[in-house]
Amino acid sequence: MNGIDDWKKRFNRIQEKGFSIKRNVLKYNLPDMQLKISTALINTLESELCLAMDTIRFEDEHRCLYSTSRSKGAEVKLPTFDGNQFDDFMKFQKEMIKGFKSNKIRREDQIKKLRECLKGDPKDLIPVGMESVEDAWHILK
């Protein structure tokens, strides 16, 4: 998300204007009441900006939104699983989760991708309308 970088640049310009005001107040021996108010507002803005950026980063990571990601990762081919005796489910699950992260697949789209990689009986176990990939993993185990 380029918005966070834009917010940082805009805040830096506001901060520079604050420093300019402070310099002029001290240089021309002006009353400093407005300076104190301006400084307090800039400090409040900085705290709220940091809080907002931290919240966005947390939600982005927690919900697998990848909205702050600058580039699309290299496409990793996702494995398939048909449930035969030679398939290792734990390896399949591990590779799928790794592939979800590498391909930056949003959490809400992961169940769809999982169904695309399943074949036969395992695919029949996962209903088309299922929304939670965690529930799907639980069913497949």
Side-chain angles (χ1 to χ4, degrees):
M1 178 190 307
N2 293 336
I4 289 180
D5 291 334
D6 185 46
W7 292 350
K8 288 178 185 177
K9 288 176 187 174
R10 290 169 60 185
F11 177 73
N12 285 337
R13 282 183 282 196
I14 292 170
Q15 209 170 27
E16 288 171 11
K17 288 185 185 209
F19 294 142
S20 176
I21 292 170
K22 183 176 182 177
R23 187 173 42 250
N24 288 338
V25 166
L26 296 175
K27 182 177 181 180
Y28 298 111
N29 201 21
L30 300 171
D32 66 344
M33 183 52 104
Q34 291 292 6
L35 173 64
K36 289 178 183 177
I37 293 171
S38 299
T39 304
L41 288 172
I42 291 171
N43 290 340
T44 301
L45 177 63
E46 182 177 25
S47 330
E48 289 184 19
L49 181 63
C50 288
L51 180 63
M53 290 187 301
D54 289 344
T55 302
I56 289 170
R57 286 186 192 110
F58 172 78
E59 288 296 325
D60 192 63
E61 177 71 25
H62 180 71
R63 295 172 47 199
C64 298
L65 298 175
Y66 302 109
S67 62
T68 58
S69 180
R70 293 191 185 279
S71 64
K72 182 74 175 159
E75 283 290 318
V76 173
K77 187 172 181 338
L78 298 173
T80 59
F81 183 77
D82 61 8
N84 72 35
Q85 64 184 8
F86 301 111
D87 279 348
D88 181 359
F89 174 74
M90 297 308 285
K91 180 180 177 187
F92 167 74
Q93 183 182 20
K94 184 178 176 183
E95 288 177 5
M96 283 296 292
I97 292 171
K98 187 177 178 181
F100 288 159
K101 288 183 181 179
S102 296
N103 293 347
K104 298 178 181 173
I105 298 172
R106 295 168 48 116
R107 186 174 306 275
E108 61 197 30
D109 298 329
Q110 288 178 1
I111 187 73
K112 180 181 170 191
K113 283 292 184 187
L114 175 60
R115 276 191 49 79
E116 289 174 7
C117 294
L118 295 173
K119 298 188 183 329
D121 291 336
K123 186 172 186 172
D124 295 337
L125 291 172
I126 308 301
V128 175
M130 184 173 278
E131 295 181 9
S132 170
V133 74
E134 287 83 12
D135 291 344
W137 289 126
H138 182 71
I139 290 170
L140 290 171
K141 282 183 184 177

